[in-house]
Amino acid sequence: MRVLITGITGQDGSYLAEFLLGKGYKVYGLIRRSSVEKFERIEPFMHDIELVEGDLTDQSSLDGVITAVQPDEVYNMAAQSFVPVSYSQPVLTGDVTGLGVIRILEAIRKHHPAAKFLQASSSEMFGKVRETPQTETTPFHPRSPYGVAKVFGYHITVNYRESYGMFACSAIGFNHESPRRGLQFVTRKVTHQVAKIKCGLGKKLLMGNLDAKRDWGFAGDYVRAMWMILQQPEPDDYVLATGQTHSVRELLEVAFGAVGLNWKDYVEIDPKLIRPAEVDTLSGDATKAREKLGWEPQVSFEELIKMMVDVDLKAVQGAERGPRSQPDLSRP
């Protein structure tokens, strides 16, 4: 089986590549040409994958990649996925996160229509939620340029499935985190700063809305579900979620508590970190995924945050001792 993963150097792409290598796939990863190469998440298994150059904003490059690879499965994990950046760079976000999806679908339709396609959709599409918990039939009301772009990606995937009979699916993933999460995302921002404070290298943690609630799961669990979606006899869309919500305040309690500290002694509110249009609560109902896929998340919220704190603590301690002492950050 040949698989093409866009966004392979990101959190989800790296976990998915590692998972599929374990199942004997020949893994191809789409990367953009860049003056700065960032392969730390996939470094331990880079020799087992083949990297191919392409860009979600360039149709001809995607046409060439699909023609050359002829993949059995394509997972679109690439996006401008940081919500605050989508406000400062809305056009770029729309081009990559939204139009990038139709470019990949067009490349598959024209050059290898037998390929199965999975779009990594987002719970941010629900935004100002109409009902709680959110299911596959909950109406979308995105509250950021990122959420809007993801809605386009979702609907164009449905459109290509219905218009051309393509095996095209969406995994509507609620927040999923890991030690490989980027430092700009709130969970990793918290766990990394907790590690620095514990080691005496930081004093404060600036935060925004502590009352926002999210359905947080482990990225490794979610990429397993994405693979399961493409193994079904018919294409369909699935919500992936734990069904449990936790506030940012609870995140702080667990993270600081993991190193024996009280979060109230270190956290300060910065009004600049409040979003222009906040999404207050997201909670997913993954009943369909449980019943049709047989999928269940295996890592709890508390286990996830403690795992992230532990890895960040080892990384910070390793950095203090020098580069030779740094741990392998690619694995939890």
Side-chain angles (χ1 to χ4, degrees):
M1 293 285 285
R2 299 159 71 86
V3 60
L4 174 67
I5 302 173
T6 71
I8 194 169
T9 60
Q11 170 188 257
D12 292 1
S14 65
Y15 275 108
L16 180 62
E18 194 171 16
F19 176 79
L20 294 179
L21 285 171
K23 290 196 169 291
Y25 278 70
K26 171 63 177 175
V27 176
Y28 295 83
L30 187 76
I31 59 169
R32 290 175 297 161
R33 178 174 289 278
S34 173
S35 58
V36 179
E37 296 182 339
K38 296 183 179 180
F39 297 142
E40 55 271 5
R41 291 187 181 97
I42 60 173
E43 188 173 357
F45 47 88
M46 269 190 68
H47 60 282
D48 294 322
I49 62 181
E50 186 167 334
L51 300 178
V52 292
E53 288 189 351
D55 196 307
L56 265 64
T57 64
D58 179 48
Q59 184 69 58
S60 62
S61 70
L62 298 175
D63 290 343
V65 168
I66 294 296
T67 300
V69 174
Q70 294 286 290
D72 297 291
E73 298 173 359
V74 178
Y75 295 83
N76 181 34
M77 319 298 278
Q80 190 304 98
S81 58
F82 190 42
V83 172
V85 169
S86 77
Y87 284 101
S88 61
Q89 300 184 45
V91 176
L92 173 67
T93 301
D95 196 12
V96 175
T97 307
L99 293 179
V101 183
I102 196 171
R103 294 188 185 105
I104 299 173
L105 287 166
E106 267 294 279
I108 295 171
R109 183 185 68 83
K110 292 186 294 185
H111 303 292
H112 191 50
K116 295 181 177 182
F117 174 78
L118 183 128
Q119 164 65 6
S121 292
S122 170
S123 59
E124 289 288 331
M125 299 188 303
F126 296 117
K128 190 174 182 180
V129 298
R130 311 285 184 89
E131 61 185 16
T132 299
Q134 294 87 56
T135 71
E136 292 80 5
T137 60
T138 301
F140 299 136
H141 188 149
R143 297 270 279 174
S144 67
Y146 168 74
V148 172
K150 278 292 187 181
V151 169
F152 176 86
Y154 170 86
H155 280 303
I156 203 64
T157 300
V158 173
N159 184 258
Y160 269 62
R161 179 171 72 218
E162 295 178 349
S163 299
Y164 304 113
M166 294 172 60
F167 198 108
C169 310
S170 277
I172 306 173
F174 280 67
N175 294 64
H176 44 285
E177 319 295 318
S178 76
R180 302 182 195 178
R181 193 58 145 153
L183 287 171
Q184 71 270 38
F185 292 90
V186 65
T187 50
R188 184 77 197 290
K189 169 186 173 179
V190 168
T191 62
H192 187 257
Q193 188 64 12
V194 165
K196 291 181 68 176
I197 290 172
K198 180 64 176 178
C199 292
L201 300 176
K203 295 182 179 180
K204 294 293 181 181
L205 172 59
L206 298 179
M207 297 294 294
N209 180 13
L210 302 188
D211 296 319
K213 294 183 178 180
R214 293 293 182 271
D215 186 327
W216 276 302
F218 173 50
D221 286 336
Y222 284 55
V223 300
R224 175 169 48 87
M226 294 177 190
W227 171 77
M228 296 171 79
I229 289 172
L230 291 195
Q231 311 317 305
Q232 300 306 301
E234 298 294 334
D236 207 347
D237 308 317
Y238 296 84
V239 162
L240 304 179
T242 69
Q244 300 180 0
T245 59
H246 299 275
S247 67
V248 174
R249 186 175 281 100
E250 289 177 81
L251 164 65
L252 294 169
E253 290 174 354
V254 174
F256 277 93
V259 294
L261 299 177
N262 185 338
W263 69 272
K264 295 179 181 178
D265 296 332
Y266 303 96
V267 173
E268 293 182 358
I269 303 301
D270 183 352
K272 294 193 296 293
L273 297 178
I274 304 294
R275 294 181 185 178
E278 182 63 86
V279 176
D280 295 318
T281 302
L282 291 173
S283 175
D285 181 350
T287 298
K288 183 177 177 180
R290 287 198 303 271
E291 293 180 350
K292 286 198 169 186
L293 306 178
W295 175 76
E296 289 278 358
Q298 297 175 348
V299 179
S300 71
F301 171 74
E302 289 78 11
E303 291 170 335
L304 169 65
I305 301 306
K306 290 176 182 177
M307 173 204 305
M308 294 173 66
V309 170
D310 182 58
V311 172
D312 275 329
L313 196 57
K314 291 176 181 177
V316 171
Q317 292 169 341
E320 282 188 282
R321 291 192 295 266
R324 291 185 180 181
S325 302
Q326 292 187 32
D328 179 5
L329 298 185
S330 68
R331 298 175 184 276

